[in-house]
Structure formats: C-alpha cells, structure tokens
Amino acid sequence: MKTAIIGVGRMGRRHIQVVRKLGLDLVGVFDVSQDSLKAAQDEHALTSHLLFNNLDKLYAEAEPECVIIATTADSHCVLTRMAAERGAKYVLVEKPMAVSLEECDRMIEACKRHGTKLAVNHQMRFMTVYTEPKRLLNTEAYGGLTSMTVVAGNIGFSMNGTHYFEAFRFLTDEQVVEVTAWFSPEAAPNPRGVQFQDRAGSLRAVTASGKRLYMEIGADQGHGLRVIYACRRGMIMVDEAARELFSTERTEQNRGLPTTRCGMPGVNIQRMIPFCGVIDTSAAVISALLRDVNSVSGEHGRCAVEFLVAAYQSAELGSIAVRLDGKLERSRVFPWA
C-alpha cells in the first residue's frame, strides 16, 4: 500500500521503521524542516525523490493511499482533513488527536464524508503491560477492576496522560463521566517549543458504574512509572519502566469474605513482562487500522481529548468535578504539542 509520512521528527522517523516493518510502500515523507528531512534521509537511506517540502506536490506525485501524520497536535486537524480530501483511504494521526474538541469533530466528519478510515496512535491495547492486567482483572480470582492508579514522574497530561485515559477506557470498557484535576503550580518548559505547554499534577476520574482512575504525576516528581490496579479480591502492580508485574490475590477459600478482611493471606506472583517497543506497537495500531479490526478509532481519540478538556476545566475552576456530559469547551484551543 502506498504510504506517506507527514512530519519526520523523532516519532515520524520511527514511523519509517514501522512502514518498512509492515511491508508498506513508502512513497514520500514531508516536513517543513530541511534539517528533519535530511535526518530522515541519512538515518533511513531514503532516496531524494521520497523527500517533499510541499504537500501539494506530495499528493500529486506520490498519490498515497495511507497517510501517517506525526506532526505536533496543532496541525493534526488541517492535515487529516487534507489527507481525506486528497483521496487517502487510511489516516493514522499521532496523539493527542487535536487541540480542541471542535477540531476532533471536524477530523471525524471529514474522514466519514470521504470514506477515509481514521485511527489515533494510542497503543495501550496492543501492549502486554495492559493486556496482561486486563486478562487477570476479569478472572474470578480478581473479581473485576475497581480502580487504576498511575504514579509517575512529570509525564504530562496531554503528551502521556492521554495514553492512560485511553488505557482506562480500554480496561474498563466504559466511558468516564466525571473528572476532577489539580494542576501543579509550575509548568515545565516543553521541549517541542515555547508555544506548547503540558500540565502536570493530580487527577481523579469516575465511570458511571463507579470505577476510578487516579493519576499522581506532579511537576515535582522526576522518576519512575508505576500503575496499581485494585480489584474486589486482588491487586496488580506494574512497574512499566522495569517491565515487572507483581500480583496478589486472595486464596480461593477466602474469596467470599467481606472487603474489610483485606489483610488475609494471599497468593503472590512476581514476573517480568515481555518488552513491547514503540515500533511494534505502532505497527499493531496501523495493522488494526488497515484490517479494520480492533482499531483505535477517531472516536476513541476524541474521548481522550474530551477527558483532557474536562481536566483543564476542572483545574481552572478550582478543582471542581466536571461532568463530561455537561458544557465542555468545544471550540477552545489548547497549547498541547
């Protein structure tokens, strides 16, 4: 399949590896930066006919069927709509999907109107650090997820937090209905440019059935990434940096005891989780898009942005709970990268 990559910064150059891994036909890469194009050419031995700094020329000459958009979030909407309008059958866009809910809606609408399948590169459902906990959570021994707690360094709510928003939706098979957020007073400089900003802090989100997501990713925290999954009859802790999983569950004879008996002897297991690199997981997202099976749709990407908008509104309104079925700011443009 004829595939083009728009934006060949760090992530875009990884997508060159993804395209080759999948056996797709790379017909062009685009970037406004000559330095980025040169880096892509040197790193991946690209011939000069694959390098474009003009989008009209890329679409006219390369005629891509699949377009991968790996630019910053502020350009995702216009580039996605252009890809659909210029005949692309498949579009993968990096996360966060867009910088406003209104832009998300315009992207989804344009792709539907032109018959283009849209996906967002949220990779969690293809990563063992999430698929293995989900398998355990839904067993009789654990009794289903009640809460997910993320404790990490300053990973940012938009850059990496949106991954956990999508992971929580994937793990619970439910939509969040309410978000409360507390932002750290300081904002760390964004390496992608002074025009971009990503906040850190704390967050609590709740689904209609009462499942909770907690995030503690303050700007004063600078190391590690652990996720704890609490269940009715057990608990799972994953050190994502070390790829280590520790699980503890009640013994079978104690499963029926009240939750107040939380200190009973249990069955404890500690093991390593197979490594899933960004190349493999991005390839899985694109493969799902092309096969239209278990794809991370534009609607899924919009859910993560909706979650993020609610977090910003909550923090700015004094950390009150914000309902996602209320009046979220659809047209407000946020400074996410």
Side-chain angles (χ1 to χ4, degrees):
M1 179 173 291
K2 296 166 66 176
T3 303
I5 300 171
I6 298 178
V8 282
R10 184 170 60 112
M11 192 61 200
R13 294 199 293 276
R14 287 174 173 171
H15 277 298
I16 295 174
Q17 295 175 259
V18 172
V19 168
R20 288 174 170 171
K21 178 181 179 67
L22 291 172
L24 303 176
D25 180 15
L26 183 65
V27 294
V29 300
F30 166 88
D31 206 293
V32 295
S33 166
Q34 286 300 128
D35 290 340
S36 293
L37 286 173
K38 184 65 165 59
Q41 182 178 33
D42 292 345
E43 288 178 22
H44 300 286
L46 302 180
T47 56
S48 57
H49 83 279
L50 294 176
L51 308 179
F52 292 86
N53 59 12
N54 182 292
L55 278 176
D56 287 330
K57 186 176 181 182
L58 168 67
Y59 283 109
E61 295 184 6
E63 299 181 329
E65 302 163 273
C66 177
V67 174
I68 299 169
I69 298 171
T71 57
T72 50
D74 55 340
S75 60
H76 288 177
C77 181
V78 65
L79 293 174
T80 297
R81 294 173 68 204
M82 177 184 289
E85 291 164 0
R86 299 298 287 267
K89 298 303 180 187
Y90 304 92
V91 172
L92 175 78
V93 63
E94 276 298 329
K95 50 76 200 166
M97 178 178 175
V99 291
S100 75
L101 285 171
E102 187 174 77
E103 286 193 351
C104 291
D105 292 336
R106 291 166 65 193
M107 293 162 71
I108 292 169
E109 187 279 329
C111 287
K112 285 183 176 178
R113 178 159 37 92
H114 292 282
T116 303
K117 295 188 183 300
L118 173 64
V120 182
N121 200 23
H122 288 299
Q123 307 153 5
M124 286 9 200
R125 69 180 68 180
F126 302 106
M127 299 174 70
T128 317
V129 289
Y130 301 101
T131 57
E132 181 59 13
K134 183 168 185 175
R135 183 188 69 80
L136 293 173
L137 297 171
N138 293 326
T139 62
E140 176 67 20
Y142 285 85
L145 179 69
T146 57
S147 71
M148 173 181 175
T149 303
V150 180
V151 181
N154 181 3
I155 61 175
F157 280 118
S158 64
M159 181 53 60
N160 290 293
T162 50
H163 275 318
Y164 291 94
F165 303 160
E166 164 58 18
F168 184 62
R169 190 203 61 74
F170 163 70
L171 288 163
T172 61
D173 295 312
E174 296 183 29
Q175 301 295 345
V176 165
V177 298
E178 183 180 281
V179 175
T180 310
W182 299 259
F183 284 171
S184 299
E186 66 271 33
N190 195 301
R192 296 193 176 186
V194 295
Q195 71 272 37
F196 300 117
Q197 186 182 83
D198 193 2
R199 301 305 300 267
S202 307
L203 177 144
R204 179 181 188 268
V206 186
T207 69
S209 72
K211 295 180 176 65
R212 287 93 60 198
L213 169 67
Y214 300 97
M215 297 185 71
E216 186 56 55
I217 55 169
D220 55 356
Q221 298 173 190
H223 181 72
L225 205 170
R226 295 189 176 190
V227 183
I228 299 172
Y229 304 94
C231 304
R232 179 85 182 177
R233 294 183 287 273
M235 186 178 293
I236 301 165
M237 190 279 286
V238 178
D239 185 328
E240 294 192 1
R243 305 193 308 279
E244 190 172 24
L245 182 148
F246 173 82
S247 62
T248 179
E249 64 188 72
R250 287 185 172 191
T251 58
E252 188 171 356
Q253 61 267 33
N254 291 333
R255 288 177 185 172
L257 295 177
T259 56
T260 52
R261 303 289 296 277
C262 55
M264 300 296 292
V267 179
N268 302 325
I269 301 173
Q270 188 170 0
R271 57 192 173 87
M272 300 299 294
I273 298 176
F275 175 69
C276 293
V278 67
I279 305 302
D280 290 334
T281 53
S282 293
V285 175
I286 295 175
S287 179
L289 168 65
L290 299 180
R291 293 183 294 112
D292 197 21
V293 176
N294 195 29
S295 182
V296 189
S297 68
E299 286 77 10
H300 293 151
R302 186 192 188 280
C303 285
V305 172
E306 186 177 47
F307 198 136
L308 188 55
V309 170
Y312 268 72
Q313 286 188 217
S314 171
E316 292 168 357
L317 292 171
S319 299
I320 65 171
V322 171
R323 298 279 304 182
L324 273 70
D325 57 1
K327 294 183 178 180
L328 293 181
E329 298 174 287
R330 286 190 65 258
S331 60
R332 178 180 170 185
V333 174
F334 291 86
W336 307 322

